[in-house]
Amino acid sequence: MAKFHKNPIFFLHILIFFHQFDVLISQPTHSPILNCLNNQKITNFTLHPTSNHHSSLHYNHLLKFSLQNLRFASESTPKPTAIIIPDTKVQLINSVLCCRRSALDIRIRCGGHSYAGMSSIPRGNNPFVIIDMMNLNRVIVDLESETAWVEGGATLGELYSAIADHSSYYGFPGGVTPTVGVSGHFSGGGIGVMGRKYGLSADNILDADLVDPDGYVLGRAEMGEEVFWALRGGGGGNWGVVYRWKVQLVHVPKKVTCFFVTKQAPINELAKLVYKWQFVAPYMDDSFHISIYLTASTSKDVYLTFLGFYLGSKLEAIKIIDRQFSELKIRQEEYLEMSWVESVLFLSGLPKGSTTRDFKSRYWSSKSYIKTKSDYVREPVSIEGLTGALEMVALEPRGLFLLDPYGGIMDQISSDSIAFPHRKGNIYNILYALLWGEGDDEDRCLSWINRFYDYMTPFVASNPRAAYVNYIDLDLGITDFANSNDNIVEKARAWGEKYFLGNYDRLVKAKTIIDPQNVFHHQQGIPPSNVKTHDEL
C-alpha cells in the first residue's frame, strides 16, 4: 500500500492538482495541424511521437508535466495529437484556428487541475490537441485603480506573488493552492478563505478578453453581458479561451492571523465539535474563515483539523474564538500572525521551508490517484448523522472530508448575479476526496467514496442535490454528442442543474450566443440549443 502524508493540508493540496493524459488513439493525423502551425509561424509545439517529427522529443515531458491524477496516466488513455504552447495572443488565436481547420477537438490547459481531467482527455476517441497556456502567464498590477490584468495561463501563486511584489495591503480572494490555474478557478467560481468577506474569485472579475471559436478577441462590451455573466462561474472549457482576466484587488490588513489545530478523540466527542462548528463558522464575523478537514489513520483513529484564517490581529482572533468557539481550546502560541501573502504560503501545502518564491513553480511532485465528489449543506447535520459520517471516515485512511463554511457576504450576493448560484441558505460545502496509490484496489476505493456519498444523502441539499462545478464529478452524468437522437440540452440538465441550479437555462442561451457550433466542449460541457458539433459542419 502506498504511504500518504498525514498533514491534512498537504493531503488536500496533493489532490488539488491533477491533470492527465497518456495515450493511444487510432494513429493521429499530423500533417494538417503541422502545416497550419508552420504557416502561422508557431514553433512552440510538440507532436505525438508517431509523427517522427523533431518536436516529438519533448512530447512526453510536456504531456506529463501537469499530469497529477494518475487515474488518467494509463497507456489506454487517449493522447493528444499535438501540444501547443502559444507565447502571444496572436499565436493563441492561430492555435485555435489551426485546430479547427484540422478538425481536431480542443482542450485548453491552464494549471491542469480538473479533477476529471477535462483539460486532458478527449470526447470519446476524437483526435484532439491540448493548447497549454503556461507561457501566457503575465500579471500586470495597477495599484492606482486597484486592479490587475492576469493572463489566462497564470497560476494563483503567480497572481498572489505579483500582488505582493507591489503592496502588502492588497490581496485577491481565491484558493490557496499555488499551482492551480486562474482560468479554471475563476471559471468555476473560486472558493477561498476570504470568500466570506469578499465573495468568490469570480465575483471580483471586472473584464476579460475571450478568444471565440472564430478567432476573434472579445472584451466584455463585445461579448455582451450574457456571455460575460456565463464566464464567471459557468464552468471551464465551454465558452472559448480566456486570453486574460481583469480582477478587482481587495484590501487586506498588514497582519492576518492563522491557526492549524488538530484534534484526536473518540468519535462521539469529535462529532460534538463538528456539530458546534455548524452553528459558529457560517455566522461569524465575515473576516473569519474556519474549515474542517477530517482524516483517519490506518488504526482507524479519526482526526479533525481546524484551519482558521482571520483578517486581523492575533488578539482580535483570540477574543472571537474564546467568545464563540471556546470548545476548540486553542493555545495562544497556536495563533500565528503574518502578512496576507505569508498566510497563503502557510495554507498552501507546500513543503516546509518553502518561500513565496516557490509560488512561481508550476510543478507539483506528489502524484496520486484521485476521486472527488461534492455536496452543499443547508441545515445542520445532527450529532447522530455526524457520528455516522465520522465512522465512515474511520474506515478509509486515504479519504479526506473537507467542510468549507459559507455565510457572510455569500448570503448577500444574488444567486444569479453570476453563473455560480450557491449563495444564501447554504451553510457549508463538502468535498469528499480519496487518494490512493499504484497497486491499491481502485474498485474498493471507489466503492468507499460512493458509499460515503450515499450515506450523506439525507443530510445535504436536495431537489436537486447540488454540487460545485470546480469539484467536477462525471458520476453525475455526461453528454453523448454522437447520439443524434438525444435531446442534449435536456440530458445535460440532469447534472447541469446540480452545478448551476436555476442558472442552467441561461447558460445554454449564453453558449448558443458565443459557440453555437459547440467547438468548445467536454463530457459535462454546457450544450447550445440545436447542438451540432464542429466536426459535423
Side-chain angles (χ1 to χ4, degrees), residues 274-329:
V274 180
Y275 183 76
K276 176 65 181 288
W277 173 89
Q278 295 178 113
F279 293 90
V280 175
Y283 307 103
M284 301 180 80
D285 183 304
D286 58 13
S287 293
F288 227 127
H289 177 103
I290 304 177
S291 296
I292 300 180
Y293 300 85
L294 297 88
T295 57
S297 67
T298 53
S299 57
K300 298 187 178 180
D301 293 320
V302 176
Y303 297 87
L304 294 188
T305 296
F306 293 85
L307 185 152
F309 171 87
Y310 177 63
L311 284 162
S313 72
K314 173 178 176 175
L315 290 178
E316 292 168 343
I318 291 172
K319 288 179 182 178
I320 292 171
I321 294 297
D322 286 348
R323 184 171 65 249
Q324 299 186 35
F325 206 177
S326 60
E327 293 87 343
L328 284 184
K329 298 178 180 177

Side-chain angles (χ1 to χ4, degrees), residues 128-367:
F128 71 111
V129 167
I130 292 173
I131 299 177
D132 194 310
M133 299 281 287
M134 70 171 71
N135 284 355
L136 294 173
N137 64 341
R138 290 167 282 272
V139 180
I140 300 173
V141 175
D142 182 359
L143 294 183
E144 185 174 348
S145 64
E146 301 181 327
T147 63
W149 278 104
V150 189
E151 288 189 331
T155 62
L156 291 177
E158 289 170 330
L159 170 59
Y160 298 156
S161 178
I163 295 171
D165 285 345
H166 283 76
S167 172
S168 59
Y169 292 96
Y170 288 95
F172 185 76
V176 295
T177 304
T179 55
V180 165
V182 297
S183 286
H185 194 62
F186 296 173
S187 294
I191 297 172
V193 297
M194 292 200 291
R196 300 185 63 255
K197 177 70 173 181
Y198 292 115
L200 307 171
S201 296
D203 292 321
N204 293 276
I205 302 297
L206 302 175
D207 204 342
D209 285 341
L210 178 73
V211 179
D212 78 357
D214 296 316
Y216 294 103
V217 180
L218 309 175
R220 178 173 181 171
E222 293 79 18
M223 73 179 77
E225 286 302 306
E226 283 301 293
V227 175
F228 184 63
W229 172 87
L231 277 183
R232 295 169 293 158
N238 288 305
W239 319 103
V241 189
V242 177
Y243 163 62
R244 62 176 186 166
W245 306 84
K246 186 178 184 181
V247 303
Q248 177 69 63
L249 305 182
V250 301
H251 292 271
V252 295
K254 185 174 182 180
K255 292 294 182 181
V256 303
T257 303
C258 296
F259 59 77
F260 180 75
V261 178
T262 298
K263 304 290 184 181
Q264 197 280 317
I267 282 176
N268 64 318
E269 294 300 316
L270 296 179
K272 292 177 184 177
L273 279 177
V274 180
Y275 183 76
K276 176 65 181 288
W277 173 89
Q278 295 178 113
F279 293 90
V280 175
Y283 307 103
M284 301 180 80
D285 183 304
D286 58 13
S287 293
F288 227 127
H289 177 103
I290 304 177
S291 296
I292 300 180
Y293 300 85
L294 297 88
T295 57
S297 67
T298 53
S299 57
K300 298 187 178 180
D301 293 320
V302 176
Y303 297 87
L304 294 188
T305 296
F306 293 85
L307 185 152
F309 171 87
Y310 177 63
L311 284 162
S313 72
K314 173 178 176 175
L315 290 178
E316 292 168 343
I318 291 172
K319 288 179 182 178
I320 292 171
I321 294 297
D322 286 348
R323 184 171 65 249
Q324 299 186 35
F325 206 177
S326 60
E327 293 87 343
L328 284 184
K329 298 178 180 177
I330 305 174
R331 300 189 305 272
Q332 286 204 13
E333 61 268 24
E334 292 178 304
Y335 292 90
L336 304 174
E337 271 191 350
M338 60 193 75
S339 69
W340 168 75
V341 75
E342 288 171 339
S343 77
V344 180
L345 181 65
F346 176 77
L347 302 173
S348 69
L350 290 173
K352 188 175 182 179
S354 298
T355 70
T356 53
R357 294 179 183 177
D358 296 304
F359 280 162
K360 296 184 179 181
S361 173
R362 304 181 70 94
Y363 185 72
W364 188 265
S365 59
S366 299
K367 300 173 189 281

Side-chain angles (χ1 to χ4, degrees), residues 440-502:
D440 288 333
D441 185 340
E442 179 170 316
D443 290 340
R444 190 192 67 78
C445 291
L446 295 177
S447 175
W448 174 83
I449 198 169
N450 288 328
R451 284 187 288 115
F452 199 162
Y453 185 74
D454 290 343
Y455 169 81
M456 293 298 294
T457 302
F459 308 114
V460 298
S462 59
N463 299 317
R465 185 171 184 173
Y468 176 35
V469 71
N470 272 359
Y471 299 156
I472 190 167
D473 178 10
L474 296 189
D475 293 344
L476 302 180
I478 61 173
T479 53
D480 180 7
F481 296 109
N483 189 342
S484 60
N485 294 321
D486 283 349
N487 183 330
I488 300 299
V489 170
E490 289 308 309
K491 186 171 182 180
R493 185 181 301 278
W495 51 262
E497 289 189 343
K498 293 179 180 179
Y499 291 135
F500 306 114
L501 306 181

